[in-house]
Amino acid sequence: MFLACNLSYGEAILKDIPQFGTLAPCRVYTYEKPNGTVGVGYINIPFFLQTYSKHLKEDKANIFRKAYQDIKSAIKETRGE
């Protein structure tokens, strides 16, 4: 399992939403599936935004959206896509 976090995202969000600290470090992990292939997992950011959007200012929601795009891009790049 590999755990990583972008501290710039965390700092911006923790100022307004200290509860976000319960998700730290931001988890991006790899695991072996039963069929021997490798899976990648991470926090379901779209669900998080849907659930908590009423508590987030738009600029903070945009930080989560940017983080989600960065994670997806990094995974695609790692796969060679």
Side-chain angles (χ1 to χ4, degrees):
M1 186 174 287
F2 172 72
L3 304 177
C5 189
N6 180 316
L7 295 178
S8 297
Y9 293 149
E11 179 185 11
I13 293 167
L14 286 171
K15 286 180 182 178
D16 285 348
I17 313 163
Q19 298 87 342
F20 178 74
T22 63
L23 301 175
C26 304
R27 286 160 177 84
V28 176
Y29 54 90
T30 60
Y31 59 96
E32 184 177 357
K33 295 179 181 181
N35 66 2
T37 62
V38 175
V40 177
Y42 51 91
I43 296 169
N44 187 333
I45 293 174
F47 177 76
F48 180 85
L49 284 171
Q50 178 184 352
T51 304
Y52 296 103
S53 62
K54 63 184 174 190
H55 303 290
L56 296 173
K57 295 177 183 175
E58 189 59 28
D59 61 329
K60 301 306 183 217
N62 285 336
I63 292 170
F64 279 102
R65 290 184 190 104
K66 172 75 171 117
Y68 181 61
Q69 291 305 315
D70 288 351
I71 291 169
K72 286 182 14 179
S73 294
I75 291 170
K76 283 185 176 183
E77 184 177 337
T78 302
R79 290 181 178 165
E81 297 177 9

